[in-house]
Amino acid sequence: MTSISNRAAEFAKARDGNVVVEFALIAPILLLMLAILFDFGMAVYDSMSLKQAARAGAQYAMRNPSDTAGIQQVVSNASDVMSEHLTVTTNQFCQCPDGTSADCGTTCVGGGALETY
């Protein structure tokens, strides 16, 4: 009986596998944190890419306001996001210098120049 109790005491004192057990418990948490960090980094990268593409589209639209297809192409080319996941819409509106809305192609009541956006 003493032999069994001695072996049990020795087994309880043994520390040889502690590192492996601790690593096995912590590794999934570390991998999850790494995956979350990678996913967050990709989201930030996509956000910056879309902001840059919107800026490029706005610059092109200032020079060619009626070229809707060209604006969409410039935005698609400037973005790293896949084109099937990208939706580009353009809107053009006009207003008079006093701030009232007006249909594009008409004249303002006060005689001022129509501003196109």
Side-chain angles (χ1 to χ4, degrees):
M1 199 68 147
T2 38
S3 166
I4 294 175
S5 63
N6 287 343
R7 286 185 184 170
E10 288 175 17
F11 183 72
K13 292 179 185 178
R15 304 280 183 219
D16 295 339
N18 283 357
V19 174
V20 174
V21 172
E22 290 172 0
F23 180 75
L25 293 174
I26 293 176
I29 297 169
L30 291 176
L31 289 174
L32 180 64
M33 289 174 54
L34 184 64
I36 290 170
L37 184 64
F38 177 77
D39 197 36
F40 181 73
M42 289 302 296
V44 169
Y45 178 78
D46 286 344
S47 173
M48 290 187 318
S49 174
L50 289 173
K51 286 178 185 178
Q52 192 269 336
R55 187 175 299 116
Q59 289 173 348
Y60 182 83
M62 284 190 277
R63 286 178 275 145
N64 305 302
S66 61
D67 186 11
T68 303
I71 295 169
Q72 292 173 345
Q73 187 64 38
V74 166
V75 171
S76 180
N77 290 344
S79 174
D80 291 334
V81 177
M82 292 186 294
S83 60
E84 60 266 8
H85 295 191
L86 187 65
T87 303
V88 181
T89 58
T90 60
N91 293 324
Q92 183 178 20
F93 65 95
C94 300
Q95 77 178 27
C96 294
D98 62 357
T100 59
S101 290
D103 291 330
C104 295
T106 61
T107 58
C108 293
V109 176
L114 193 64
E115 298 170 352
T116 304
Y117 298 96

